Amino acid sequence: MKNQAGSEAEEKGERIAKRLARAGICSRRDAERWIAEGRVVVNGKRLDTPAFLVGPDDRIVVDGKPIAGPEKTRLWLYHKPRGVMTTHRDPQGRPTVFESLPKDLPRVISVGRLDYNSEGLLLLTNDGELARKLELPATGWLRRYRVRVNGLPHKQHLAELEKGVTIDDVAYGPISAGIERSQGDNTWLVVSLREGKNREVRRVMEHLGHQVSRLIRVAYGPFQLGSLEPGKVKEVPGKVLAEQLGVKTKTLGERSPKPAPAKPPKKRPMLRPKTP
């Protein structure tokens, strides 16, 4: 019954919050907040619930401006520099990621965040539904960092992080941490984790008695920072996006058209034996 109900809902349309996210103007969570604030109108009706279903022909208006339908799903790699906020607006007036992006880039949102003093790989997409999918711990993508700390952490303490750790009533999942090299009074570590909670690496290292002086994310799942320079953006080819994420349609969430049935081979006429 559940599957049948789900398929019936799909035929009627999709939730408005999901449509707004797929249109690339916000995340699903932001969409739900906008709806609660009365900023979303569908076919002249101001919405008060994110459970509202919309179809492909419905006219959707946000803050008085109509939105276009969902575009082709795209993903970019961005090398976030230090001293930049991962937000569209900062109350303190600090520079933001989205202010520094190339002008020819469409409106994008980030997959997760890197804090003000962190740097490295940040994924950007025009599809809020894709961003939400990649942020979920259930996706299981490994985030890998190079981390510089003061002092030399004890190898046994680092090994114990594999079991997870609880700090100030916050439980952190398994973390893999190993020493890359020592440099004067500092040590470079390679740290890998799957959850990526707020300031997780910094808090865990402080718990071990080591302040983080530099934190660089070098990989997010299969995507690598590589030689991408700070402040630069590089788009992930559609073929790679399809291979890594299983996105086989132009827009995430849409069904692929069924391939046309193969034509049967033409029958060759039978040759009659020659009469002697």
Side-chain angles (χ1 to χ4, degrees), residues 89-102:
R89 292 188 190 90
D90 180 57
Q92 300 179 34
R94 291 170 293 185
T96 72
V97 164
F98 302 100
E99 293 170 347
S100 62
L101 293 176

Side-chain angles (χ1 to χ4, degrees), residues 40-84:
V40 181
V41 175
V42 178
N43 299 331
K45 177 184 177 182
R46 194 170 301 279
L47 300 188
D48 57 6
T49 172
F52 191 89
L53 298 179
V54 293
D57 299 325
D58 287 327
R59 187 171 186 270
I60 304 170
V61 176
V62 177
D63 294 337
K65 298 178 181 178
I67 69 162
E71 299 179 350
K72 174 183 176 182
T73 297
R74 300 169 70 186
L75 186 72
W76 291 265
L77 311 180
Y78 171 65
H79 188 156
K80 177 194 173 298
R82 297 176 72 178
V84 179

Side-chain angles (χ1 to χ4, degrees), residues 125-162:
T125 179
N126 64 336
D127 191 323
E129 188 65 17
L130 175 62
R132 177 177 175 274
K133 175 182 176 182
L134 299 186
E135 289 171 355
L136 293 174
T139 304
W141 271 6
L142 198 70
R143 287 88 151 160
R144 193 167 75 251
Y145 303 82
R146 292 186 66 238
V147 183
R148 187 177 67 192
V149 299
N150 67 321
L152 179 62
H154 197 288
K155 290 184 179 180
Q156 182 60 34
H157 294 163
L158 296 178
E160 290 174 355
L161 295 178
E162 291 277 5

Side-chain angles (χ1 to χ4, degrees), residues 113-132:
R113 294 172 181 264
L114 284 173
D115 64 38
Y116 184 71
N117 288 317
S118 297
E119 57 194 293
L121 181 62
L122 185 67
L123 300 183
L124 305 173
T125 179
N126 64 336
D127 191 323
E129 188 65 17
L130 175 62
R132 177 177 175 274

